[in-house]
Amino acid sequence: MTTHAPELPIVVDDETGVWTTDALPMLYVPRHFFVNNHIGIEEELGAERYAEILYKAGYKSAYYWCEKEAKEHGLVGREIFDHYMKRLSQRGWGFFITEHLDIEKGEARVRLEHSCFVYQYGKVNRKVDYMFTGWFAGAMDQIAHSMGLTVKTQAVQTQSGAEEGCDVGRFEVTPL
């Protein structure tokens, strides 16, 4: 196994201790802490209900993130989506690979390798990466809106690396 230092800029405010990457405040927490909280909430609410809640929150957060990052870095169109996938991958969620992107049509396919959720859950024969689903629709809708397009999208997870016979996660974005 080879390693390298983080590739994203991290600045820590001396006075407040707040970590910032690019234009947004960040939190740095152990993966097991985050995923164990996720599992605890899932056990109380059920995976379906929790997925619905996370979809809405994730959509809103991705929309906001893409809007702020585009402004911070002067990004437009596909550059925003590519930057989003890169930053998600750099922050330890897993590796997000864009297999297809057509912003005008509101379409995308994203492959997820080395999911932090799959590492924690293992092979449980169900989709465990659903937290990410709303992120892709939120990113797509923000980018389309910034380009003056009226397309509105939805996203679904079609497979997870936690399912038998699957090594990666897959997500599809389609127009509503």
Side-chain angles (χ1 to χ4, degrees), residues 7-84:
E7 297 173 350
L8 53 151
I10 299 170
V11 176
V12 181
D13 184 292
D14 290 333
E15 191 173 311
T16 64
V18 172
W19 288 41
T20 303
T21 294
D22 299 325
L24 298 169
M26 306 295 282
L27 298 174
Y28 182 63
V29 299
R31 180 175 68 199
H32 74 274
F33 171 81
F34 183 87
V35 178
N36 285 337
N37 277 278
H38 177 88
I39 291 169
I41 295 167
E42 182 182 80
E43 288 171 351
E44 291 296 317
L45 298 178
E48 274 189 44
R49 180 66 185 127
Y50 191 36
E52 292 171 11
I53 294 165
L54 287 175
Y55 186 96
K56 292 175 189 174
Y59 177 99
K60 181 179 178 179
S61 296
Y63 195 102
Y64 178 83
W65 190 96
C66 288
E67 187 173 55
K68 296 300 179 194
E69 287 293 290
K71 183 178 179 183
E72 174 74 9
H73 298 289
L75 304 172
V76 294
R78 184 184 182 106
E79 295 172 329
I80 302 168
F81 198 85
D82 290 343
H83 180 64
Y84 189 45

Coordinates of all heavy atoms in Angstrom, one line a residue, residues 7-84:
E7 N -4.6 16.0 -0.5 CA -4.4 16.9 -1.7 C -5.3 18.1 -1.6 O -5.2 18.9 -2.6 CB -4.7 16.1 -3.0 CG -3.7 14.9 -3.2 CD -4.1 14.0 -4.3 OE1 -5.2 14.2 -4.9 OE2 -3.3 13.2 -4.7
L8 N -6.1 18.2 -0.6 CA -7.0 19.4 -0.6 C -6.4 20.4 0.4 O -5.8 20.0 1.4 CB -8.4 19.0 -0.2 CG -8.7 18.2 1.0 CD1 -10.1 18.5 1.5 CD2 -8.7 16.7 0.5
P9 N -6.6 21.7 0.2 CA -6.1 22.7 1.1 C -6.9 22.7 2.4 O -8.1 22.8 2.4 CB -6.3 24.0 0.3 CG -7.4 23.7 -0.7 CD -7.3 22.2 -1.0
I10 N -6.2 22.7 3.5 CA -6.9 22.8 4.8 C -6.2 23.9 5.6 O -5.0 24.0 5.7 CB -6.7 21.5 5.6 CG1 -7.3 20.3 4.9 CG2 -7.3 21.6 7.0 CD1 -7.0 18.9 5.5
V11 N -7.0 24.8 6.0 CA -6.6 26.0 6.8 C -7.3 25.9 8.1 O -8.5 25.7 8.2 CB -6.9 27.3 6.1 CG1 -6.5 28.5 6.9 CG2 -6.2 27.4 4.7
V12 N -6.6 26.1 9.3 CA -7.2 26.1 10.6 C -7.1 27.4 11.2 O -6.0 28.0 11.3 CB -6.5 25.0 11.5 CG1 -7.1 25.0 12.9 CG2 -6.5 23.6 10.9
D13 N -8.2 28.0 11.6 CA -8.2 29.3 12.2 C -7.6 29.2 13.6 O -8.1 28.5 14.4 CB -9.7 29.8 12.2 CG -9.8 31.2 12.8 OD1 -9.5 31.4 14.0 OD2 -10.2 32.1 12.0
D14 N -6.6 30.0 13.9 CA -5.9 30.0 15.2 C -6.9 30.3 16.3 O -6.7 29.8 17.4 CB -4.7 30.9 15.2 CG -3.6 30.4 14.3 OD1 -3.5 29.2 14.1 OD2 -2.8 31.2 13.8
E15 N -7.8 31.3 16.1 CA -8.6 31.8 17.1 C -9.8 30.8 17.4 O -10.1 30.6 18.6 CB -9.1 33.2 16.7 CG -9.9 33.9 17.8 CD -10.2 35.3 17.4 OE1 -9.3 36.0 16.8 OE2 -11.3 35.7 17.6
T16 N -10.4 30.3 16.4 CA -11.6 29.5 16.6 C -11.4 28.0 16.5 O -12.2 27.2 16.9 CB -12.7 29.9 15.5 OG1 -12.2 29.5 14.2 CG2 -13.0 31.3 15.6
G17 N -10.3 27.6 15.8 CA -10.1 26.1 15.6 C -10.8 25.6 14.4 O -10.8 24.4 14.1
V18 N -11.6 26.4 13.7 CA -12.4 26.0 12.6 C -11.5 25.6 11.4 O -10.6 26.4 11.0 CB -13.4 27.1 12.1 CG1 -14.1 26.7 10.8 CG2 -14.4 27.3 13.2
W19 N -11.7 24.4 10.8 CA -11.0 23.9 9.7 C -11.8 24.4 8.4 O -13.0 24.3 8.4 CB -11.0 22.4 9.6 CG -10.1 21.8 10.6 CD1 -9.9 22.1 11.9 CD2 -9.2 20.6 10.4 NE1 -9.0 21.3 12.5 CE2 -8.6 20.4 11.6 CE3 -9.0 19.8 9.3 CZ2 -7.7 19.3 11.7 CZ3 -8.1 18.8 9.4 CH2 -7.5 18.5 10.6
T20 N -11.1 24.9 7.4 CA -11.7 25.3 6.2 C -10.9 24.7 5.0 O -9.7 24.7 5.0 CB -11.6 26.9 6.1 OG1 -12.3 27.4 7.2 CG2 -12.3 27.4 4.8
T21 N -11.7 24.3 4.0 CA -11.2 23.8 2.7 C -11.9 24.7 1.7 O -13.1 24.7 1.6 CB -11.4 22.3 2.5 OG1 -10.6 21.6 3.4 CG2 -11.0 21.9 1.1
D22 N -11.1 25.3 0.9 CA -11.6 26.2 -0.1 C -12.4 27.3 0.6 O -11.9 28.0 1.5 CB -12.4 25.5 -1.2 CG -11.5 24.5 -2.0 OD1 -10.3 24.8 -2.2 OD2 -12.0 23.4 -2.4
A23 N -13.7 27.4 0.3 CA -14.5 28.5 0.9 C -15.4 28.0 2.0 O -16.3 28.7 2.5 CB -15.3 29.2 -0.2
L24 N -15.3 26.7 2.4 CA -16.3 26.1 3.3 C -15.7 25.5 4.6 O -14.6 24.9 4.5 CB -17.1 25.0 2.6 CG -17.9 25.5 1.4 CD1 -18.4 24.3 0.6 CD2 -19.0 26.4 1.8
P25 N -16.3 25.8 5.7 CA -15.9 25.1 7.0 C -16.1 23.6 6.9 O -17.0 23.1 6.3 CB -16.8 25.8 8.1 CG -17.7 26.6 7.4 CD -17.5 26.6 5.9
M26 N -15.1 22.9 7.5 CA -15.2 21.4 7.5 C -15.1 20.9 8.9 O -14.6 21.5 9.8 CB -14.0 20.9 6.6 CG -13.8 21.5 5.3 SD -15.2 21.1 4.2 CE -14.7 19.4 3.7
L27 N -15.4 19.6 9.0 CA -15.2 18.8 10.2 C -14.3 17.6 9.9 O -14.4 17.0 8.8 CB -16.5 18.3 10.8 CG -17.6 19.3 11.2 CD1 -18.8 18.6 11.6 CD2 -17.0 20.2 12.3
Y28 N -13.5 17.3 10.8 CA -12.6 16.1 10.6 C -12.9 15.1 11.7 O -12.6 15.4 12.9 CB -11.1 16.6 10.6 CG -10.1 15.5 10.4 CD1 -10.0 14.8 9.2 CD2 -9.2 15.2 11.4 CE1 -9.1 13.8 9.0 CE2 -8.2 14.2 11.2 CZ -8.2 13.5 10.0 OH -7.3 12.5 9.8
V29 N -13.5 14.0 11.4 CA -13.9 13.0 12.4 C -13.5 11.6 11.9 O -13.4 11.4 10.8 CB -15.5 13.0 12.6 CG1 -15.9 14.4 13.1 CG2 -16.2 12.6 11.4
P30 N -13.3 10.7 12.9 CA -12.9 9.4 12.5 C -14.1 8.7 11.7 O -15.2 8.9 12.1 CB -12.7 8.7 13.9 CG -12.4 9.8 14.8 CD -13.2 10.9 14.3
R31 N -13.7 7.9 10.7 CA -14.7 7.2 9.9 C -15.6 6.4 10.7 O -16.9 6.4 10.6 CB -14.0 6.4 8.8 CG -15.0 5.7 7.9 CD -14.4 5.0 6.8 NE -13.6 3.8 7.3 CZ -12.6 3.2 6.6 NH1 -12.3 3.7 5.4 NH2 -12.0 2.2 7.1
H32 N -15.1 5.6 11.7 CA -15.9 4.7 12.5 C -16.9 5.5 13.3 O -18.1 5.1 13.5 CB -15.1 3.8 13.4 CG -14.5 4.5 14.6 ND1 -13.3 5.2 14.5 CD2 -15.0 4.7 15.8 CE1 -13.1 5.8 15.7 NE2 -14.0 5.5 16.5
F33 N -16.6 6.7 13.8 CA -17.5 7.5 14.5 C -18.7 7.9 13.6 O -19.8 7.8 14.0 CB -16.8 8.8 15.0 CG -17.7 9.8 15.6 CD1 -18.1 9.7 16.9 CD2 -18.1 10.9 14.9 CE1 -19.0 10.6 17.5 CE2 -18.9 11.9 15.4 CZ -19.4 11.7 16.7
F34 N -18.4 8.4 12.4 CA -19.4 8.9 11.5 C -20.3 7.7 11.1 O -21.5 7.8 11.2 CB -18.8 9.6 10.3 CG -19.9 10.1 9.4 CD1 -20.4 11.4 9.6 CD2 -20.4 9.3 8.4 CE1 -21.4 11.8 8.7 CE2 -21.4 9.8 7.5 CZ -21.9 11.0 7.7
V35 N -19.7 6.6 10.7 CA -20.5 5.5 10.2 C -21.3 4.8 11.3 O -22.4 4.4 11.1 CB -19.6 4.5 9.4 CG1 -20.5 3.3 8.9 CG2 -19.0 5.2 8.2
N36 N -20.7 4.8 12.5 CA -21.5 4.2 13.6 C -22.7 5.0 14.0 O -23.8 4.5 14.4 CB -20.6 4.0 14.8 CG -19.7 2.8 14.7 OD1 -20.0 1.9 13.9 ND2 -18.6 2.7 15.4
N37 N -22.6 6.4 13.9 CA -23.7 7.2 14.1 C -24.8 7.0 13.0 O -26.0 6.9 13.3 CB -23.3 8.7 14.1 CG -22.8 9.2 15.4 OD1 -23.6 9.5 16.3 ND2 -21.5 9.1 15.6
H38 N -24.3 6.8 11.8 CA -25.2 6.5 10.6 C -25.9 5.2 10.9 O -27.2 5.2 10.7 CB -24.3 6.4 9.4 CG -25.0 6.0 8.1 ND1 -25.6 7.0 7.3 CD2 -25.2 4.8 7.6 CE1 -26.1 6.3 6.3 NE2 -25.9 5.0 6.4
I39 N -25.2 4.2 11.3 CA -25.8 2.9 11.6 C -26.9 3.0 12.7 O -28.0 2.4 12.7 CB -24.8 1.8 11.9 CG1 -24.0 1.5 10.6 CG2 -25.4 0.6 12.5 CD1 -22.7 0.7 10.9
G40 N -26.5 3.8 13.8 CA -27.4 3.9 14.9 C -28.7 4.6 14.5 O -29.8 4.2 14.9
I41 N -28.7 5.6 13.7 CA -29.9 6.3 13.2 C -30.7 5.4 12.3 O -31.9 5.3 12.4 CB -29.5 7.6 12.5 CG1 -28.9 8.6 13.5 CG2 -30.8 8.2 11.8 CD1 -28.2 9.8 12.8
E42 N -30.0 4.6 11.4 CA -30.6 3.7 10.5 C -31.4 2.6 11.3 O -32.5 2.2 11.0 CB -29.6 3.0 9.6 CG -30.1 2.0 8.6 CD -29.0 1.4 7.8 OE1 -28.4 0.4 8.3 OE2 -28.8 1.8 6.7
E43 N -30.8 2.1 12.4 CA -31.4 1.1 13.3 C -32.7 1.7 13.9 O -33.7 0.9 14.1 CB -30.5 0.6 14.3 CG -29.4 -0.3 13.8 CD -28.3 -0.6 14.8 OE1 -28.3 0.0 15.9 OE2 -27.4 -1.4 14.5
E44 N -32.8 2.9 14.2 CA -33.9 3.5 14.9 C -35.0 3.9 13.9 O -36.2 3.7 14.1 CB -33.5 4.8 15.6 CG -32.7 4.5 16.9 CD -33.5 3.7 17.9 OE1 -34.7 4.0 18.2 OE2 -32.9 2.8 18.5
L45 N -34.6 4.4 12.7 CA -35.6 4.9 11.7 C -35.9 3.9 10.6 O -37.0 4.0 10.0 CB -35.1 6.2 11.0 CG -34.8 7.4 11.9 CD1 -34.3 8.5 11.0 CD2 -36.1 7.8 12.5
G46 N -35.0 2.9 10.4 CA -35.1 2.0 9.3 C -34.4 2.7 8.1 O -34.3 3.9 7.9
A47 N -33.8 1.8 7.3 CA -32.9 2.3 6.2 C -33.7 3.1 5.2 O -33.2 4.1 4.7 CB -32.2 1.1 5.5
E48 N -34.9 2.7 4.9 CA -35.7 3.4 3.8 C -36.0 4.8 4.3 O -35.9 5.8 3.5 CB -37.0 2.7 3.6 CG -36.9 1.6 2.5 CD -38.3 1.0 2.1 OE1 -39.2 1.8 1.9 OE2 -38.3 -0.2 2.0
R49 N -36.5 5.0 5.5 CA -36.9 6.3 6.0 C -35.6 7.2 6.1 O -35.6 8.4 5.8 CB -37.6 6.2 7.4 CG -38.0 7.6 7.9 CD -39.0 8.3 7.1 NE -39.2 9.6 7.6 CZ -39.2 10.7 6.9 NH1 -38.9 10.7 5.6 NH2 -39.4 11.9 7.5
Y50 N -34.5 6.6 6.6 CA -33.3 7.4 6.8 C -32.8 7.8 5.4 O -32.3 8.9 5.3 CB -32.3 6.5 7.5 CG -31.0 7.3 8.0 CD1 -31.1 8.6 8.4 CD2 -29.8 6.7 8.0 CE1 -30.0 9.3 8.8 CE2 -28.7 7.3 8.4 CZ -28.8 8.7 8.8 OH -27.6 9.3 9.2
A51 N -32.9 6.9 4.4 CA -32.4 7.3 3.1 C -33.2 8.4 2.5 O -32.7 9.3 1.9 CB -32.6 6.1 2.1
E52 N -34.5 8.5 2.8 CA -35.4 9.6 2.3 C -34.9 11.0 3.0 O -34.8 12.0 2.3 CB -36.8 9.4 2.7 CG -37.5 8.3 2.0 CD -38.9 8.0 2.6 OE1 -39.4 8.8 3.4 OE2 -39.5 6.9 2.2
I53 N -34.6 10.9 4.2 CA -34.1 12.1 5.0 C -32.8 12.5 4.4 O -32.6 13.7 4.1 CB -34.1 11.8 6.5 CG1 -35.5 11.6 7.0 CG2 -33.4 13.0 7.2 CD1 -35.5 11.0 8.4
L54 N -31.9 11.6 4.3 CA -30.6 11.9 3.8 C -30.6 12.4 2.3 O -29.8 13.3 2.0 CB -29.6 10.7 3.9 CG -29.2 10.3 5.3 CD1 -28.4 9.0 5.3 CD2 -28.4 11.5 5.9
Y55 N -31.5 11.9 1.5 CA -31.6 12.4 0.1 C -31.9 13.9 0.1 O -31.2 14.6 -0.6 CB -32.7 11.6 -0.6 CG -32.7 11.9 -2.1 CD1 -32.1 11.1 -3.0 CD2 -33.4 13.0 -2.6 CE1 -32.1 11.4 -4.4 CE2 -33.4 13.3 -3.9 CZ -32.8 12.5 -4.8 OH -32.8 12.8 -6.2
K56 N -32.9 14.3 0.8 CA -33.2 15.7 0.9 C -32.1 16.6 1.4 O -31.8 17.6 0.8 CB -34.5 15.9 1.7 CG -35.7 15.3 1.1 CD -36.9 15.4 2.0 CE -38.1 14.7 1.5 NZ -39.2 14.7 2.5
A57 N -31.5 16.2 2.5 CA -30.4 16.9 3.1 C -29.2 16.9 2.2 O -28.5 18.0 2.1 CB -30.1 16.4 4.5
G58 N -28.9 15.8 1.6 CA -27.7 15.7 0.7 C -27.9 16.5 -0.5 O -27.0 17.1 -1.0
Y59 N -29.1 16.5 -1.1 CA -29.4 17.3 -2.2 C -29.1 18.8 -1.9 O -28.4 19.5 -2.7 CB -30.9 17.1 -2.7 CG -31.3 18.0 -3.8 CD1 -31.4 17.5 -5.1 CD2 -31.7 19.3 -3.6 CE1 -31.8 18.2 -6.2 CE2 -32.0 20.1 -4.7 CZ -32.1 19.6 -6.0 OH -32.5 20.4 -7.0
K60 N -29.7 19.3 -0.8 CA -29.6 20.7 -0.5 C -28.1 21.0 -0.2 O -27.6 22.1 -0.7 CB -30.4 20.9 0.8 CG -30.3 22.3 1.3 CD -31.2 22.5 2.6 CE -31.2 23.9 3.1 NZ -32.0 24.0 4.3
S61 N -27.4 20.1 0.5 CA -26.0 20.4 0.8 C -25.1 20.4 -0.5 O -24.2 21.2 -0.6 CB -25.4 19.3 1.7 OG -26.1 19.4 3.0
A62 N -25.3 19.5 -1.4 CA -24.6 19.4 -2.7 C -24.8 20.7 -3.5 O -23.9 21.2 -4.1 CB -24.9 18.2 -3.5
Y63 N -26.1 21.1 -3.6 CA -26.4 22.3 -4.3 C -25.7 23.5 -3.8 O -25.0 24.2 -4.5 CB -27.9 22.5 -4.2 CG -28.5 23.5 -5.2 CD1 -29.2 23.1 -6.3 CD2 -28.3 24.9 -5.0 CE1 -29.7 24.0 -7.3 CE2 -28.8 25.8 -5.9 CZ -29.5 25.3 -7.1 OH -30.0 26.2 -8.0
Y64 N -25.7 23.6 -2.5 CA -25.0 24.7 -1.8 C -23.5 24.6 -2.0 O -22.8 25.6 -2.4 CB -25.3 24.7 -0.3 CG -24.6 25.7 0.5 CD1 -25.1 27.0 0.6 CD2 -23.4 25.4 1.2 CE1 -24.5 28.0 1.4 CE2 -22.8 26.4 2.0 CZ -23.3 27.7 2.1 OH -22.7 28.6 2.8
W65 N -22.9 23.4 -1.9 CA -21.5 23.2 -2.0 C -21.0 23.6 -3.4 O -20.1 24.3 -3.6 CB -21.1 21.8 -1.7 CG -19.6 21.5 -1.6 CD1 -18.9 21.5 -0.5 CD2 -18.7 21.3 -2.7 NE1 -17.5 21.3 -0.8 CE2 -17.4 21.1 -2.2 CE3 -18.9 21.2 -4.1 CZ2 -16.3 20.8 -3.0 CZ3 -17.8 20.9 -4.9 CH2 -16.5 20.8 -4.3
C66 N -21.8 23.1 -4.4 CA -21.4 23.4 -5.8 C -21.5 24.9 -6.1 O -20.6 25.5 -6.8 CB -22.3 22.6 -6.8 SG -21.9 20.8 -6.8
E67 N -22.5 25.5 -5.6 CA -22.7 27.0 -5.8 C -21.5 27.7 -5.2 O -20.9 28.6 -5.9 CB -24.0 27.4 -5.1 CG -24.4 28.8 -5.4 CD -25.8 29.0 -4.8 OE1 -26.0 28.8 -3.6 OE2 -26.7 29.4 -5.6
K68 N -21.1 27.4 -4.0 CA -20.0 28.1 -3.3 C -18.7 27.8 -4.0 O -17.8 28.7 -4.1 CB -20.0 27.8 -1.8 CG -21.2 28.2 -1.0 CD -21.4 29.7 -1.1 CE -22.6 30.1 -0.3 NZ -23.1 31.4 -0.6
E69 N -18.4 26.6 -4.3 CA -17.1 26.2 -4.9 C -17.0 26.8 -6.3 O -15.9 27.1 -6.7 CB -17.0 24.7 -4.9 CG -16.7 24.1 -3.5 CD -15.4 24.5 -3.0 OE1 -14.4 24.0 -3.5 OE2 -15.3 25.2 -2.0
A70 N -18.1 26.8 -7.1 CA -18.0 27.4 -8.4 C -17.6 28.8 -8.3 O -16.8 29.3 -9.1 CB -19.4 27.2 -9.1
K71 N -18.2 29.5 -7.4 CA -17.9 30.9 -7.2 C -16.4 31.1 -6.7 O -15.7 31.9 -7.3 CB -18.8 31.6 -6.2 CG -18.6 33.1 -6.0 CD -19.6 33.7 -5.0 CE -19.3 35.1 -4.9 NZ -20.2 35.7 -3.9
E72 N -16.0 30.3 -5.8 CA -14.7 30.4 -5.2 C -13.6 30.1 -6.3 O -12.5 30.8 -6.3 CB -14.5 29.3 -4.1 CG -13.1 29.2 -3.5 CD -12.7 30.4 -2.6 OE1 -13.6 31.2 -2.3 OE2 -11.5 30.4 -2.2
H73 N -13.8 29.2 -7.2 CA -12.8 28.8 -8.1 C -13.1 29.2 -9.5 O -12.3 28.9 -10.4 CB -12.6 27.2 -8.1 CG -12.2 26.7 -6.8 ND1 -10.9 26.9 -6.3 CD2 -12.8 26.0 -5.8 CE1 -10.8 26.4 -5.1 NE2 -11.9 25.8 -4.8
G74 N -14.2 29.9 -9.8 CA -14.5 30.4 -11.1 C -14.8 29.2 -12.1 O -14.4 29.2 -13.2
L75 N -15.5 28.2 -11.5 CA -15.8 27.0 -12.3 C -17.2 27.1 -13.0 O -18.1 27.8 -12.4 CB -15.8 25.8 -11.4 CG -14.6 25.5 -10.6 CD1 -14.8 24.4 -9.6 CD2 -13.4 25.2 -11.6
V76 N -17.3 26.5 -14.1 CA -18.6 26.5 -14.8 C -18.9 25.0 -15.4 O -17.9 24.3 -15.7 CB -18.7 27.5 -16.0 CG1 -18.6 28.9 -15.5 CG2 -17.6 27.2 -17.0
G77 N -20.2 24.7 -15.5 CA -20.6 23.5 -16.2 C -19.9 22.2 -15.6 O -19.8 22.0 -14.4
R78 N -19.4 21.4 -16.5 CA -18.8 20.2 -16.1 C -17.6 20.3 -15.1 O -17.4 19.5 -14.3 CB -18.3 19.4 -17.4 CG -17.7 18.1 -17.0 CD -17.1 17.3 -18.1 NE -16.7 16.0 -17.6 CZ -17.3 14.9 -17.8 NH1 -18.3 14.8 -18.6 NH2 -16.8 13.7 -17.3
E79 N -16.9 21.5 -15.2 CA -15.8 21.7 -14.3 C -16.3 21.6 -12.8 O -15.6 21.1 -11.9 CB -15.2 23.1 -14.5 CG -14.6 23.3 -15.8 CD -14.2 24.8 -16.0 OE1 -14.9 25.7 -15.5 OE2 -13.1 25.0 -16.7
I80 N -17.5 22.1 -12.6 CA -18.1 22.0 -11.2 C -18.3 20.6 -10.8 O -17.9 20.2 -9.7 CB -19.4 22.8 -11.1 CG1 -19.2 24.3 -11.5 CG2 -20.0 22.7 -9.7 CD1 -20.5 25.0 -11.7
F81 N -18.9 19.8 -11.6 CA -19.2 18.4 -11.3 C -17.9 17.6 -11.1 O -17.7 16.9 -10.1 CB -20.0 17.7 -12.4 CG -20.7 16.4 -12.0 CD1 -21.9 16.5 -11.4 CD2 -20.1 15.2 -12.2 CE1 -22.5 15.3 -11.0 CE2 -20.7 14.0 -11.9 CZ -21.9 14.1 -11.2
D82 N -16.9 17.8 -12.0 CA -15.6 17.2 -11.9 C -14.9 17.6 -10.5 O -14.3 16.7 -9.9 CB -14.7 17.5 -13.0 CG -15.2 16.9 -14.3 OD1 -16.0 15.9 -14.3 OD2 -14.7 17.3 -15.4
H83 N -15.0 18.9 -10.2 CA -14.4 19.3 -9.0 C -15.1 18.7 -7.8 O -14.4 18.3 -6.8 CB -14.5 20.9 -8.9 CG -13.9 21.5 -7.6 ND1 -12.6 21.4 -7.3 CD2 -14.5 22.2 -6.6 CE1 -12.3 22.0 -6.2 NE2 -13.5 22.5 -5.7
Y84 N -16.4 18.5 -7.8 CA -17.2 17.9 -6.7 C -16.7 16.5 -6.6 O -16.5 16.0 -5.4 CB -18.7 18.0 -7.0 CG -19.6 17.6 -5.9 CD1 -19.3 18.0 -4.6 CD2 -20.7 16.9 -6.1 CE1 -20.2 17.7 -3.6 CE2 -21.5 16.5 -5.1 CZ -21.3 16.9 -3.8 OH -22.1 16.5 -2.8

